[in-house]
Amino acid sequence: MASSPVPHEPPIYRRIADRLRQAILAGEFRDGDRLPGENALMSEYGIARATARQALAVLINEGVAVPKRGSGVYVRHFRPIRRHGSRRLSREQWGTGKAIWDSDVTGRPFTVDDIVIAREAAAEDVGRVLGCGEVWVRRRRYSVDGRPVQLAASHFPADLVEGTPITVPDTGPGGVYARLGDLGHAPVHFTEEVRARMPSPDEAAKLRLPAGTPVIEVCRSAFAAGGTAVELNKMIIDAASYVLQYDFDA
Amino acid sequence: MASSPVPHEPPIYRRIADRLRQAILAGEFRDGDRLPGENALMSEYGIARATARQALAVLINEGVAVPKRGSGVYVRHFRPIRRHGSRRLSREQWGTGKAIWDSDVTGRPFTVDDIVIAREAAAEDVGRVLGCGEVWVRRRRYSVDGRPVQLAASHFPADLVEGTPITVPDTGPGGVYARLGDLGHAPVHFTEEVRARMPSPDEAAKLRLPAGTPVIEVCRSAFAAGGTAVELNKMIIDAASYVLQYDFDA
DNA sequence: CAGTGGTCTAGACCACATA
DNA sequence: ATGTGGTCTAGACCACTGC
């Protein structure tokens, strides 16, 4: 008997999520607009509550929508900060200065909190890059407009920086790179390794990330003239708040 | 009366997810190991099926675990490909060559499929960067070991490349950049804009991404000597398969 | 106070994988 | 054939938001 050779209809909750996503892309819902809630979907489609929730969960985990307790589910905003890798080659001199993504947060001041400076045993990966067993670590959190956007942890070989201003909160004019220069180890080269992943619960809490928001993990190594690694800066960045820009010549 | 000032216990499903995550980090479950399934969690904790599912969904949406239908939920693997931004400055000459993340896929050959070459009206953002209304687009998908890892779409100003090998599948020796050179528009400068986000359903399907996997979106603009943009390459990259590396001098 | 999302229970049927 | 995850129903109580 010819059984229906249908190429597999998606489940109800997927179809609803797809419809809502389409409506958002088509502009029927704008940034910040309230989407139909669980009750609305239940009555509109004649489905159970859990199914309506599942449909909304799809959009939430895609980062397209954000739930607000007791209020509703809302279309999400994307307003990135632009972070330049090598400022020396930065884009202004190239092309018409046109970028793919707008970044209207650029220029607003960062605030810093949660500063912790400590001498620690180096984690396995950090020790391998810096070539040492003990490190001084400077941890802090950056915020823009009161919204946390980045966690950073700078690691230095303990023997190299012991007793210098790098081990205290105020590093003096020029910051840690100037102090490394004072030591005869000014960074002359950087390499950044970039990956993206979903945040750990700890990172999600510290950055106040809604579901569906990845983080970008940037590990920047700084090298002095001899080729020795003098700093390793691990950054955890709210992916919804940032665009990274790298410039280089052919 | 003194009501209990408890700092809010997390819900059951969160606590179970946290326990499992800890066990994974502690090495009790290794890459590829099977985690306790829904039935196991239901009987172990005396909870309903939906609650056990919710606990597993947390780990799946974090990208920590991957569900396999009819089989189980498994601990996920991270084995990235390393992609170099500017090969000229690449890391080998710096430091001890130690990187934060291993990348054992490096060197394995890419395969290419889904090649589509077409002349189109430029999307709003593409047209702004390239300064034109019509573009030739070269789309393709890259795979490693049969696993799709990247979608790429190179855009060229239509007037610039019309009638050249850039508009046909075989671009000849040296590829599109050599052909741009033939036209007197060899790229001398590149800008890459990098962001991360959750994939659209279409992207997730084309890259066969499990839930909890972000994509990295790289938009690379190539500029010729005069400063005109001659190419815009939009890449959608499986974040679980890639580490991007950028090298630059101070 | 009414409506919203957050959590949870106790069932059900299905498609699929493995043995 | 058994067990697994995938989908769905029909309820319930809670905490929180906004009027």
Side-chain angles (χ1 to χ4, degrees):
Chain A
M1 332 136 314
S3 76
S4 74
V6 176
H8 246 33
E9 248 180 18
I12 302 174
Y13 78 93
R14 274 242 153 252
R15 292 206 300 267
I16 296 174
D18 290 347
R19 265 192 55 145
L20 287 174
R21 192 185 310 98
Q22 263 316 108
I24 292 169
L25 290 180
E28 295 173 42
F29 300 98
R30 308 299 206 90
D31 282 2
D33 280 0
R34 191 175 178 283
L35 293 173
E38 299 175 358
N39 296 338
L41 294 178
M42 285 170 70
S43 55
E44 182 178 353
Y45 292 96
I47 57 178
R49 185 173 159 103
T51 307
R53 269 186 80 70
Q54 207 173 359
L56 292 170
V58 169
L59 300 178
I60 290 166
N61 282 321
E62 279 174 357
V64 170
V66 171
K68 285 199 196 307
R69 257 226 294 271
S71 170
V73 177
Y74 296 85
V75 178
R76 189 155 171 196
H77 219 38
F78 178 55
R79 286 266 182 285
I81 300 163
R82 186 169 300 268
R83 172 188 182 273
H84 291 262
S86 56
R87 193 162 294 280
R88 190 173 59 82
L89 294 170
S90 112
R91 172 162 215 144
E92 280 113 50
Q93 49 190 317
W94 287 98
T96 44
K98 302 279 171 42
I100 278 282
W101 296 298
D102 293 335
S103 56
D104 69 351
V105 187
T106 303
R108 287 194 224 171
F110 286 91
T111 59
V112 182
D113 65 352
D114 276 4
I115 302 177
V116 178
I117 303 174
R119 186 181 165 123
E120 304 177 350
E124 196 276 321
D125 54 351
V126 173
R128 195 180 62 242
V129 172
L130 291 180
C132 62
E134 290 260 318
V135 291
W136 274 94
V137 191
R138 303 177 60 92
R139 295 178 207 281
R140 66 278 189 196
R141 182 174 69 170
Y142 295 98
S143 301
V144 171
D145 291 337
R147 246 177 10 113
V149 295
Q150 180 184 155
L151 308 173
S154 292
H155 303 71
F156 305 88
D159 295 347
L160 185 70
V161 302
E162 189 67 61
T164 73
I166 288 176
T167 65
V168 299
D170 182 8
T171 55
V176 295
Y177 289 162
R179 296 297 81 71
L180 286 170
D182 298 344
L183 296 168
H185 293 282
V188 299
H189 185 81
F190 298 95
T191 104
E192 297 199 345
E193 294 174 65
V194 180
R195 59 172 292 205
R197 56 175 172 77
M198 296 313 283
S200 71
D202 179 63
E203 293 163 346
K206 288 201 173 96
L207 291 173
R208 292 210 284 273
L209 299 175
T213 308
V215 292
I216 303 173
E217 194 174 351
V218 177
C219 284
R220 177 168 69 183
S221 318
F223 297 93
T228 51
V230 291
E231 188 219 11
L232 175 60
N233 190 357
K234 279 192 167 196
M235 291 162 267
I236 307 293
I237 297 174
D238 171 8
S241 299
Y242 266 93
V243 169
L244 312 186
Q245 178 173 333
Y246 293 96
D247 279 83
F248 47 93
D249 294 322
Chain B
M1 340 154 296
S3 78
S4 74
V6 177
H8 247 34
E9 248 181 16
I12 300 174
Y13 79 93
R14 274 245 152 246
R15 292 206 301 266
I16 296 175
D18 290 346
R19 264 192 55 143
L20 289 174
R21 192 185 309 100
Q22 263 316 108
I24 293 169
L25 290 181
E28 294 172 42
F29 299 100
R30 306 300 206 89
D31 283 1
D33 281 359
R34 190 175 178 284
L35 292 173
E38 299 175 359
N39 296 340
L41 294 179
M42 285 169 71
S43 54
E44 182 179 352
Y45 293 95
I47 54 177
R49 178 159 173 143
T51 308
R53 269 185 81 71
Q54 208 174 358
L56 292 170
V58 169
L59 300 178
I60 290 165
N61 282 321
E62 280 174 357
V64 170
V66 171
K68 286 199 195 309
R69 259 226 292 272
S71 172
V73 178
Y74 296 85
V75 178
R76 190 157 172 196
H77 218 38
F78 176 57
R79 285 268 181 284
I81 300 163
R82 186 169 299 269
R83 171 187 183 275
H84 291 261
S86 55
R87 193 161 294 281
R88 188 174 59 82
L89 294 170
S90 111
R91 173 164 215 142
E92 280 113 50
Q93 50 191 317
W94 287 98
T96 47
K98 303 280 172 40
I100 278 282
W101 295 299
D102 292 336
S103 56
D104 70 350
V105 187
T106 303
R108 288 193 222 171
F110 286 90
T111 60
V112 182
D113 66 353
D114 276 5
I115 301 176
V116 177
I117 302 174
R119 186 183 165 121
E120 304 177 350
E124 195 276 322
D125 53 352
V126 173
R128 196 181 61 240
V129 172
L130 291 181
C132 61
E134 290 260 320
V135 290
W136 274 94
V137 191
R138 303 177 60 92
R139 298 177 205 280
R140 67 276 190 197
R141 181 174 69 168
Y142 294 99
S143 301
V144 171
D145 291 336
R147 243 173 15 110
V149 294
Q150 179 184 156
L151 309 173
S154 291
H155 303 72
F156 304 87
D159 295 345
L160 185 69
V161 301
E162 189 67 62
T164 74
I166 287 175
T167 66
V168 300
D170 183 8
T171 54
V176 294
Y177 288 162
R179 294 298 81 68
L180 286 171
D182 297 344
L183 296 168
H185 293 283
V188 298
H189 185 82
F190 298 95
T191 292
E192 297 200 345
E193 294 174 67
V194 180
R195 59 171 292 207
R197 57 174 172 77
M198 297 312 284
S200 71
D202 180 63
E203 292 163 346
K206 289 200 172 98
L207 292 172
R208 291 208 284 273
L209 299 175
T213 307
V215 291
I216 301 173
E217 195 173 351
V218 177
C219 283
R220 178 167 68 184
S221 318
F223 297 92
T228 51
V230 292
E231 187 218 12
L232 175 60
N233 191 355
K234 278 192 168 199
M235 292 163 268
I236 307 292
I237 297 175
D238 171 8
S241 300
Y242 265 93
V243 169
L244 312 186
Q245 178 174 333
Y246 294 97
D247 280 81
F248 48 92
D249 293 323

